[in-house]
Amino acid sequence: MPLWHNPFYGTITNPGALSQRQVRLAQLLRPYPHFLGMTVFNPSSSSSTYHALTLKFERRYASGIGFLGSYTWSKNISDSDATVGPAAGHQNTYDRRADRSVIAEDVTHRLILSASAELPFGRNKFIGAGWHPVLNGMLGGWQVNTILSMQSGLPLAFTASPNNLNAQGGTQRPNSNGFSAAKDGRIQDRLENYLNPEAFSHPGPFRYGNVGRVTSNVRGPRLSNLDLSLFKTFFIREGLRLQARGEFFNAFNSPMFGLPNTAFGGGNFGRITSQANDPRQVQLALKLVF
């Protein structure tokens, strides 16, 4: 970008580009050329639409068994993502409508299933109602609980590298070649090439890419998690109980993979290099109920 006579020379004396005799022409074409940059915090200038179908199932039995399930089918559309701090950038600041898409946190399907069961052994149970207190203390009073969470993958936001848009702001995106970048196969087998790079092309200098701000036709890995807990209740006397609890988060120690690199043109494009969940965690506790 060529240099130009700086009309602010001698007026702006703070060290920086605007105190020099010449300044980049692009700086003078900005809406506020006497500022090198501006940051708008939390502007109320976005719009969003959310539609969802929610279902809930609950069943409890007198035997101490209970089931609870919920399902959500939804779509969340916006022209900007909610942020804390600086507002999210747009590809074209003067065409916000072109940025309308699903949000980065859009989850199409989400299913939560939970179950709780008191095992039928011991005091006041189907088996062992008349057991000796010592035997009841060992084999009675057990309860098993589980929570299963499953959801579809998050949509992806693509950028083009290098960014030669030269629009003094905004993120350049690639062009779509007319088909989805999604690939088939186990995620474990394609951590190095989760995406098909042939689905995109670079738009070239001074051009906007036609890929949306966030794409819904290709998403990150699906997420699922199973938590288990095992409770043992000791009846000390009337109105006094001691509960031993063992809780296992991510009980099967199954990894959930993070989102792939979406910087088209970079060396790591399509690679998954992170894990979205923690390894198995075990928590033991004693609880006195009176």
Side-chain angles (χ1 to χ4, degrees):
M1 189 68 70
L3 295 177
W4 206 260
H5 169 70
N6 182 8
F8 307 111
Y9 177 71
T11 303
I12 298 178
T13 57
N14 294 331
L18 293 179
S19 63
Q20 307 300 315
R21 288 183 177 274
Q22 291 184 312
V23 67
R24 295 173 65 239
L25 177 59
Q27 176 64 33
L28 300 180
L29 297 177
R30 289 175 178 260
Y32 304 96
H34 49 295
F35 292 110
L36 290 176
M38 298 183 66
T39 300
V40 180
F41 283 86
N42 299 327
S44 56
S45 57
S46 302
S47 63
S48 63
T49 303
Y50 176 75
H51 294 126
L53 169 69
T54 59
L55 300 174
K56 178 181 177 182
F57 168 79
E58 185 173 8
R59 180 69 174 177
R60 296 181 181 275
Y61 297 91
S63 58
I65 299 177
F67 299 95
L68 178 63
S70 64
Y71 167 73
T72 302
W73 176 35
S74 66
K75 190 170 187 178
N76 199 339
I77 301 174
S78 177
D79 56 14
S80 181
D81 283 324
T83 59
V84 178
H90 298 279
Q91 183 174 230
N92 183 356
T93 306
Y94 299 99
D95 187 9
R96 286 255 313 279
R97 187 175 181 83
D99 280 347
R100 195 162 182 81
S101 68
V102 296
I103 68 171
E105 296 81 12
D106 177 68
V107 177
T108 305
H109 304 282
R110 181 167 175 82
L111 177 67
I112 306 293
L113 298 174
S114 65
S116 176
E118 297 179 6
L119 301 186
F121 308 107
R123 179 183 178 184
N124 299 325
K125 299 297 181 181
F126 181 73
I127 301 174
W131 279 351
H132 187 277
V134 175
L135 183 60
N136 180 73
M138 292 187 296
L139 302 181
W142 289 96
Q143 178 179 329
V144 179
N145 313 280
T146 181
I147 300 178
L148 173 64
S149 305
M150 303 177 67
Q151 73 174 51
S152 53
L154 296 174
L156 302 178
F158 292 94
T159 60
S161 178
N163 184 348
N164 51 13
L165 186 59
N166 297 298
Q168 303 303 301
T171 301
Q172 193 173 29
R173 302 177 194 137
N175 281 332
S176 171
N177 289 339
F179 55 93
S180 173
K183 300 176 66 176
D184 297 325
R186 296 196 320 155
I187 298 176
Q188 295 90 325
D189 297 333
R190 50 193 178 98
L191 295 177
E192 295 295 321
N193 54 356
Y194 182 82
L195 300 170
N196 182 4
E198 301 298 325
F200 304 106
S201 57
H202 200 285
F206 304 98
R207 295 179 179 273
Y208 294 116
N210 60 16
V211 170
R213 181 176 56 88
V214 181
T215 62
S216 59
N217 66 343
V218 55
R219 292 175 175 258
R222 294 184 297 271
L223 304 179
S224 62
N225 183 71
L226 180 68
D227 298 329
L228 293 173
S229 63
L230 184 64
F231 297 172
K232 174 68 173 75
T233 301
F234 300 91
F235 295 90
I236 300 175
R237 58 178 175 81
E238 191 69 28
L240 184 62
R241 293 175 295 160
L242 179 65
Q243 186 181 77
R245 305 163 64 100
E247 297 167 316
F248 308 88
F249 305 99
N250 186 14
F252 294 149
N253 201 31
S254 301
M256 291 189 291
F257 297 103
L259 298 178
N261 183 292
T262 55
F264 178 74
N268 290 323
F269 178 76
R271 294 184 62 201
I272 295 178
T273 58
S274 63
Q275 184 173 330
N277 66 335
D278 294 320
R280 180 195 299 119
Q281 297 183 24
V282 179
Q283 178 174 287
L284 303 177
L286 288 175
K287 181 179 179 181
L288 186 63
V289 182
F290 57 90

